[in-house]
Amino acid sequence: MDFTPTEEQLAVQRVARDAADRILLPKAAARDISMEFPVAELKELAQLGLLGVAVPEELGGGGMGPVCYSLAMMELGRGDPSVAVAVSVTNMVAELIANNGSPELAKRWVPGLVDGSLCCGAFALSEPEAGSDPAAMRTTAVRDGNRWRISGTKQWITCGDRAGAMVVWAVTDPEAGHKGITAFVVPAGAKGLGVSRLEEKMGLHGSSTAQLVFDGVEVGDDQILAAPGRGFALAMMALDGGRIGISSQAIGIARGALEAAIRYAGERQTFGQPIIKHQAVGNMLADAATWLDAATLMTLRAAVAKETKQPFSQLAAMAKLFATEHAWKICDIALQVHGGYGYVRDFPVERALRDVRVTRIYEGTSEIQRIVIARNLMRQA
Ligand code: CAA
């Protein structure tokens, strides 16, 4: 694929790169230790339009496409991936509501997600017993007069304790399998909604990951996305797009780590020369740079397919699989090149290795991406 970015795409990339350098990078190491949630940073990113890149302009978004979004996520992932993940979920939730909510529902929630006044969004799909297999969810929404009552537990919810609005999936027709799952918009502070646990994670310390309990949370028909029973397909479609975002985030993390390793290898001397001149080190960096380039092209190809309304589920799965698996390897190489210095906090690569690890897990594990790819191959055979 020949990818030549347009002026608009380059402009978004510049804005995100500048935001990463100015707003995120200077505090990323400190945030890893303080674990402070980036409230102020999300507001600043919102003012730059980065919480709703592909959201329609009439709802306050940038009205741009998935390529702009991907390029922005690569930059923010390099700046601070723990902020980038909140940006990614907010973009995904804002787009989901904008494209599938009634005009009133979209007007009620999307502008606040995009302008940062709701802080961020959350995507409440996974459960303690249903992560890779969301069709097995147990959370129910039961009819109560002309309302619904949501009860159940959601797990691994990025920004679940901070989001001003979230999309929550629940079984509304237990007899109908995945066709009995419905997506609702639920505001923060809804009666019966509680945070039962905040996870202590290996990385992404500036982001929060919550377990949420829904104890009869009341919602109306006007909070349903698309229609009752359409929730599972909506989740799958949103995740196809979300996977381009996570792939981009992983590329950003790996790019930051690789740049640090190349700098270090050019400065650090052993046996009378910079270590980059030793073939063993040069070869590792050459492999890492090649993987990074391939991952970037695959991710942009998936984004172009989405933008031009072609099928992109398989392309997004392939991009996420390749980019996140190789981003992990690239960060490991970057650490190895730094030697003992790579293992301590003085250099950014140990944090990169911890932060990048989850990209092989969330928004569909690598194993799930292989399932998606293999099923598409079967359909094409
Ligand atoms: N787009 C639209 N529809 C889709 C679809 C897609 N990509 N994939 C499946 N569907 C539809 C199918 O067409 C089918 O509909 P019909 O019955 O009408 O034909 C229906 O969904 C069921 O399809 P499958 O039988 O293929 O579904 P499945 O239960 O076997 O699951 C799966 C398929 C792809 C493995 C899916 O379970 C999956 O993606 N699992 C991973 C879940 C995941 O990524 N979770 C991440 C959680 S969110 C997160 O991490 C966010 C965060 O906070 C960072």
Side-chain angles (χ1 to χ4, degrees), residues 332-347:
D332 189 44
I333 285 177
L335 193 152
Q336 188 70 16
V337 166
H338 281 76
Y341 291 107
Y343 196 63
V344 295
R345 279 185 170 162
D346 307 30
F347 287 82

Side-chain angles (χ1 to χ4, degrees), residues 114 161 177 197 307 321-322 360 375:
V114 170
D161 59 325
R197 183 183 158 90
E307 189 146 333
L321 174 63
F322 187 87
R360 294 167 59 200
R375 287 188 183 178

Side-chain angles (χ1 to χ4, degrees), residues 126 132 134 158 178-179 236-237 239-240 243 363-364 375:
S126 299
S132 285
T158 302
H178 66 261
K179 291 200 163 97
M236 293 299 107
M237 288 189 275
L239 284 168
D240 282 341
R243 285 166 188 163
E363 299 205 16
R375 287 188 183 178

Side-chain angles (χ1 to χ4, degrees), residues 205-345:
H205 287 168
S207 79
S208 64
T209 306
Q211 184 186 66
L212 302 176
V213 172
F214 294 79
D215 183 9
V217 173
E218 195 182 303
V219 283
D221 285 329
D222 55 353
Q223 283 161 270
I224 290 177
L225 292 182
R230 285 279 299 142
F232 188 79
L234 287 187
M236 293 299 107
M237 288 189 275
L239 284 168
D240 282 341
R243 285 166 188 163
I244 296 174
I246 299 305
S247 183
S248 308
Q249 181 203 20
I251 287 166
I253 305 172
R255 189 176 292 162
L258 182 58
E259 282 167 4
I262 294 168
R263 250 191 332 268
Y264 183 83
E267 288 162 7
R268 174 74 172 171
Q269 304 261 336
T270 61
F271 308 101
Q273 58 180 348
I275 61 172
I276 198 165
K277 291 200 174 165
H278 299 308
Q279 210 171 33
V281 174
N283 282 356
M284 284 197 286
L285 293 172
D287 281 348
T290 306
W291 296 333
L292 189 62
D293 212 32
T296 306
L297 287 171
M298 287 177 77
T299 302
L300 290 172
R301 183 179 65 159
V304 167
K306 183 177 178 206
E307 189 146 333
T308 52
K309 313 263 183 273
Q310 295 166 55
F312 70 95
S313 179
Q314 180 183 347
L315 296 179
M318 289 166 93
K320 182 177 187 283
L321 174 63
F322 187 87
T324 61
E325 291 291 331
H326 286 83
W328 164 251
K329 288 184 192 168
I330 293 166
C331 292
D332 189 44
I333 285 177
L335 193 152
Q336 188 70 16
V337 166
H338 281 76
Y341 291 107
Y343 196 63
V344 295
R345 279 185 170 162

